[in-house]
Amino acid sequence: MSQKQMKEAFVSNHNGTSVLEITEGLCLPALCILCRGLLIILSQHLCSSSHTWRTRFFIDFAFLIVPLVTTLTIFASFVLLEYLVVIIFGAVLLYETYCRRTCYARMPVGKILEKFLKISLESEYIPAISCFRVINSAFTAVAILAVDFPLFPRRFAKTELYGTGAMDFGVGAFIFGTAMVCPEVRRKYTKGSRLCYLTKSLYSVWPLVFLGMGRLVIIKSIGYQEHLTEYGVHWNFFFTLIVVKLITSPLLIIFPLNKSWIVAISITVFYQLALDFTPLKRLVLYGSDGSGTRVGLLNANREGIISTLGYVAIHMAGVQTGSYVLKKRSHIKDWIKVACYILLTAIGFFISLYIVQVNVEVASRRMANLAFCIWIVASCLILLSSLLLGDIILNFAKFLIKGATVPCSWKLIQSPAANRKHSESLVSEAERKEPTLCLITAMNRNQLIFFLLSNVTTGLVNLLVDTLHSSTLWALFVLNLYMFTNCLVIYVLHLQDKTVKFW
């Protein structure tokens, strides 16, 4: 076989791993972000000098990127050990923060918690949503290159027909994360008629058309390796995003945002019925003539075209989640309830997933069927709830140390019922001005550029490096250098206060 055929075979015909193993890895980034915040708080208290941008970048890279790289490669079979190390490290940091507290130094922990629950939060956005989107972007960037190296477990690769692979989650989570902050949820188009809103919404897809066509032309012109059954001959993820946007925009005009879950359930149920009782499933898997033909536009791209129905349902579920999470709330107690409610909802979805996979059909990325949609939504809710709970714990640590600040985290304000003296200590000058030395904020600011840069550098690495025959140490070096370069470019853009946007 040629080098291209060997690489295509290397990433094809995989059956994925268990839902449990993927779920185990989902909460680890949230714990790492929590440890990173606790370390920043403690270092601010112990060191009078502030961190330089280089120090903060290395801290963020070490806690956000390095664990993702190792979890997807050499430590893939030792996730529980990673959890143990991170939990112990976080517990030590939290204990040290509590022992060195500058607020309520002589008050027992029960009274401190009682006062903490009366504290209010002030933020223009929900940090957990930003972290969710950045974690998924970083995970996707690592996986799209790591999958070409032998040290990447084949069970994490995209599945061929049925099953759940770690890379399958990245695609669905991107749709879900985008939906949580879509213009409809943020009420961006509030003025004008519905027709005007629809026009603006549909016009916003033109960058995706440009990117999708550009990727298609480049891939075909250089003969780059492709996983044919992922989307088809000409289709790619940008085209899926376009169709999802074109379908969901009218739906969100017709149906209220708080009824998006009804639309999501209706689409997935009717789609699954169509797969089971019509020739649709046979068309997706074997083509119109039953022999796997790729003749004609529909046959050539049948996986990409038909699976968009499942992604539309995932998008509507994301809209429902975003509209719920972004409601106006202030008290810590309210956000604890939100995190617990999302966690319980996720558990309910996992129970539903088990029932569906046993009695209906196993999850299939290729079709984006009912089980796949349930799995994606449940996994996204688990990650979101863990990030919310992690940020609440982080704010408790900030509550203990006067003037402590952590980028991409809620700001604390004093409850009106509390005394004014301590209110002044909570809202310091540093707290009023959000720190800018933050890799998470930088990646969230230029997320599309980070995604495009990761795709370009992945292609360059594949053209310059023999990934199939790389040793473990060399592969780890290349992966970390690749992520370091991508993150540094985005970080420098952020420090220069640049938002790259051409639409």
Side-chain angles (χ1 to χ4, degrees):
M1 290 191 295
S2 66
Q3 186 76 358
K4 176 186 174 183
Q5 290 173 325
M6 289 173 62
K7 287 190 173 184
E8 289 176 349
F10 190 60
V11 298
S12 302
N13 300 313
H14 300 297
N15 299 319
T17 184
S18 66
V19 172
L20 178 61
E21 184 176 20
I22 297 174
T23 306
E24 286 174 353
L26 283 177
C27 298
L28 187 63
L31 288 173
C32 291
I33 290 175
L34 173 59
C35 289
R36 165 246 191 196
L38 293 172
L39 181 63
I40 290 173
I41 292 172
L42 198 58
S43 63
Q44 286 174 350
H45 178 64
L46 297 176
C47 306
S48 56
S49 59
S50 59
H51 291 148
T52 63
W53 72 267
R54 294 179 184 85
T55 304
R56 188 61 63 82
F57 174 77
F58 278 106
I59 291 174
D60 288 354
F61 187 83
F63 280 88
L64 181 66
I65 305 300
V66 174
L68 277 174
V69 174
T70 56
T71 301
L72 289 172
T73 54
I74 55 175
F75 291 155
S77 300
F78 305 97
V79 176
L80 294 180
L81 179 61
E82 286 187 280
Y83 266 104
L84 181 62
V85 172
V86 173
I87 289 172
I88 291 175
F89 182 63
V92 170
L93 290 175
L94 185 59
Y95 177 75
E96 286 295 320
T97 303
Y98 177 78
C99 292
R100 299 172 186 273
R101 64 190 184 278
T102 58
C103 301
Y104 307 112
R106 299 181 179 179
M107 190 175 290
V109 63
K111 291 289 185 180
I112 295 176
L113 287 172
E114 184 179 335
K115 287 189 172 292
F116 174 66
L117 292 176
K118 295 178 181 178
I119 294 295
S120 298
L121 300 170
E122 182 183 70
S123 181
E124 296 179 358
Y125 68 102
I126 310 302
I129 293 181
S130 298
C131 291
F132 177 98
R133 287 159 53 80
V134 167
I135 287 171
N136 189 57
S137 294
F139 163 79
T140 302
V142 173
I144 59 175
L145 178 59
V147 71
D148 295 317
F149 288 94
L151 85 167
F152 184 83
R154 295 299 98 190
R155 65 184 185 276
F156 288 170
K158 290 182 178 178
T159 54
E160 190 70 23
L161 182 54
Y162 290 104
T164 50
M167 292 186 71
D168 297 333
F169 168 75
V171 177
F174 188 92
I175 296 281
F176 191 91
T178 303
M180 284 196 292
V181 294
C182 69
E184 293 85 357
V185 173
R186 292 183 286 118
R187 310 285 182 178
K188 188 175 180 180
Y189 304 136
T190 55
K191 297 180 181 180
S193 64
R194 290 187 174 185
L195 180 61
C196 180
Y197 150 73
L198 183 60
T199 303
K200 289 180 179 179
S201 182
L202 298 181
Y203 177 75
S204 66
V205 304
W206 78 261
L208 297 175
V209 176
F210 173 78
L211 293 172
M213 294 301 299
R215 187 184 189 281
L216 173 62
V217 171
I218 293 172
I219 291 296
K220 297 298 181 183
S221 61
I222 66 175
Y224 194 76
Q225 66 266 16
E226 297 178 87
H227 188 181
L228 189 63
T229 59
E230 183 178 359
Y231 295 108
V233 178
H234 313 102
W235 202 268
N236 58 57
F237 187 56
F238 292 111
F239 295 143
T240 296
L241 292 175
I242 293 167
V243 176
V244 168
K245 184 67 175 177
L246 293 177
I247 295 175
T248 56
S249 293
L251 288 176
L252 292 172
I253 290 179
I254 300 171
F255 300 97
L257 289 181
N258 60 356
K259 303 299 181 184
S260 297
W261 66 274
I262 298 177
V263 180
I265 292 175
S266 301
I267 291 173
T268 51
V269 170
F270 282 113
Y271 177 45
Q272 186 62 51
L273 289 173
L275 289 172
D276 290 339
F277 298 105
T278 71
L280 188 62
K281 182 187 297 185
R282 183 178 176 83
L283 172 63
V284 176
L285 301 181
Y286 307 111
S288 58
D289 62 356
S291 61
T293 180
R294 293 286 174 179
V295 179
L297 185 63
L298 177 60
N299 278 312
N301 306 285
R302 55 183 184 267
E303 295 91 349
I305 294 173
I306 297 174
S307 66
T308 51
L309 287 173
Y311 292 116
V312 167
I314 292 171
H315 183 95
M316 297 303 289
V319 169
Q320 179 71 49
T321 305
S323 61
Y324 171 70
V325 175
L326 291 173
K327 284 182 179 178
K328 294 286 184 180
R329 298 180 183 89
S330 58
H331 290 90
I332 286 284
K333 290 187 291 186
D334 296 331
W335 282 107
I336 293 174
K337 291 178 182 177
V338 169
C340 292
Y341 178 75
I342 293 175
L343 179 59
L344 290 173
T345 304
I347 294 172
F349 272 109
F350 277 118
I351 294 172
S352 302
L353 174 63
Y354 175 78
I355 295 171
V356 170
Q357 292 209 118
V358 169
N359 297 287
V360 182
E361 189 176 35
V362 178
S364 170
R365 169 203 55 83
R366 195 167 172 183
M367 293 182 284
N369 59 357
L370 175 61
F372 177 82
C373 294
I374 294 174
W375 170 58
I376 292 296
V377 174
S379 301
C380 288
L381 293 179
I382 282 285
L383 176 56
L384 182 61
S385 62
S386 63
L387 289 168
L388 285 169
L389 290 171
D391 207 14
I392 290 169
I393 296 172
L394 186 58
N395 275 275
F396 176 69
K398 289 165 60 179
F399 177 72
L400 299 174
I401 303 293
K402 180 179 179 179
T405 60
V406 178
C408 200
S409 177
W410 272 308
K411 298 177 183 179
L412 292 174
I413 59 174
Q414 186 70 1
S415 172
N419 62 75
R420 295 181 179 179
K421 184 178 179 180
H422 188 58
S423 175
E424 294 175 359
S425 70
L426 283 173
V427 191
S428 63
E429 184 63 30
E431 186 77 14
R432 292 190 187 98
K433 187 176 181 180
E434 181 78 14
T436 57
L437 303 179
C438 178
L439 180 58
I440 296 174
T441 306
M443 290 174 65
N444 188 57
R445 180 176 185 173
N446 283 301
Q447 192 172 22
L448 181 58
I449 297 303
F450 178 78
F451 179 71
L452 293 176
L453 181 63
S454 300
N455 276 270
V456 171
T457 49
T458 295
L460 289 175
V461 171
N462 268 280
L463 293 174
L464 298 174
V465 176
D466 182 9
T467 57
L468 292 180
H469 302 97
S470 296
S471 65
T472 299
L473 287 178
W474 174 244
L476 279 175
F477 172 76
V478 171
L479 283 170
N480 281 288
L481 179 62
Y482 151 83
M483 287 302 296
F484 184 87
T485 304
N486 293 338
C487 292
L488 185 60
V489 170
I490 296 300
Y491 198 77
V492 170
L493 283 175
H494 177 63
L495 293 180
Q496 297 295 323
D497 199 27
K498 302 293 185 183
T499 302
V500 181
K501 193 172 182 179
F502 50 88
W503 62 93

